[in-house]
Amino acid sequence: MTATDQIIDVLRTDILSGRFEPGDRLLEVALSEEYRVGRAAIRSAIVALASEGLVTREANRGATVRRISVAEAIQITEARSALESLIAGRAAQTATADDHAELRQIIADMEAAAADTNGGQAYSELNALMHRRMREISGHEVAAQLVANLRDRAAHHKYRLATMPGRPSQSLEQHRSIVEAVVAGDEAAAARAMRTHLESVIDVLSQWGDARA
């Protein structure tokens, strides 16, 4: 991994973690000093993250962390639904006994986080872990790469959704259904459970959009 690749990863992580929030300016001079690299590396990182949809670059205004509207977040989730349903079905075919045990443990950890009144952040991280492991288990590299990019673009809405009061318990049952289908080796049921889960995400996002209208 080159130095530029490392800076891309660091800056991406800082954006996705909320250290840089939507609308924040990304100043080359300040970032160069903070990350202790040349401005050329920072400029390359900003260009790369703009191509991923995380950063907006405007003439004479520089770069900012991109704001994702609710309408765009809905479209992103619709695209994810098609891809992640494919991934879940493929995971049901390819998952090993060790994968089954790991997925069941993630669900157990999610259950504990959902029961904890201060477990919103932990639940959000476990949610992301479960989806990531599904992508890895499926072995479908193209779909996995596309989904990872889509999830990153809507990261701000994703965290807000996972920390909504009452949402973790609802989401938990949906994730449990996905894992049960994968463990059972039922490709159709796994795809259907994933689709149902992401349709519920779209429903919540649509309610946010209605509230803003």
Side-chain angles (χ1 to χ4, degrees):
M1 179 180 291
T2 68
T4 298
D5 289 336
Q6 291 176 344
I7 293 303
I8 292 171
D9 285 345
V10 170
L11 184 54
R12 182 193 294 112
T13 298
D14 283 346
I15 290 173
L16 296 179
S17 68
R19 184 163 179 268
F20 296 115
E21 297 184 349
D24 283 354
R25 295 187 67 192
L26 300 174
L27 303 174
E28 289 182 11
V29 173
L31 293 174
S32 178
E33 293 176 354
E34 179 173 350
Y35 296 135
R36 298 182 180 179
V37 296
R39 289 182 62 180
I42 296 297
R43 191 175 301 115
S44 295
I46 288 173
V47 169
L49 296 180
S51 71
E52 294 180 12
L54 295 178
V55 172
T56 298
R57 299 166 68 221
E58 298 182 63
N60 303 318
R61 295 190 62 185
T64 58
V65 178
R66 189 162 179 259
R67 297 182 186 275
I68 302 296
S69 68
V70 172
E72 185 174 354
I74 290 172
Q75 291 185 9
I76 288 171
T77 308
E78 289 171 342
R80 279 183 53 202
S81 179
L83 291 165
E84 293 206 58
S85 296
L86 168 65
I87 285 170
R90 186 66 62 86
Q93 294 179 319
T94 60
T96 65
D98 286 344
D99 294 329
H100 294 166
E102 180 184 4
L103 291 172
R104 283 174 167 151
Q105 184 59 54
I106 292 172
I107 292 298
D109 292 342
M110 291 175 76
E111 184 174 2
D116 184 350
T117 55
N118 297 313
Q121 176 65 40
Y123 187 88
S124 179
E125 292 172 357
L126 289 164
N127 185 337
L129 173 61
M130 199 282 276
H131 283 270
R132 177 172 62 79
R133 288 298 294 130
M134 283 287 181
R135 298 196 299 271
E136 293 169 348
I137 291 167
S138 76
H140 200 303
E141 294 183 5
V142 172
Q145 290 171 0
L146 291 169
V147 168
N149 179 267
L150 289 168
R151 283 178 65 86
D152 285 353
R153 287 176 58 182
H156 178 69
H157 292 292
K158 178 184 66 177
Y159 176 74
R160 178 184 171 198
L161 183 72
T163 55
M164 280 178 57
R167 175 63 189 175
S169 59
Q170 179 184 24
S171 170
L172 173 63
E173 293 309 311
Q174 295 166 359
H175 285 89
R176 195 193 310 277
S177 295
I178 297 167
V179 168
E180 288 175 353
V182 169
V183 170
D186 191 330
E187 179 181 359
R192 185 167 56 250
M194 182 66 79
R195 191 175 302 110
T196 297
H197 166 55
L198 290 171
E199 285 173 352
S200 81
V201 173
I202 292 170
D203 286 344
V204 175
L205 291 171
S206 297
Q207 292 172 20
W208 291 350
D210 291 343
R212 294 181 180 185

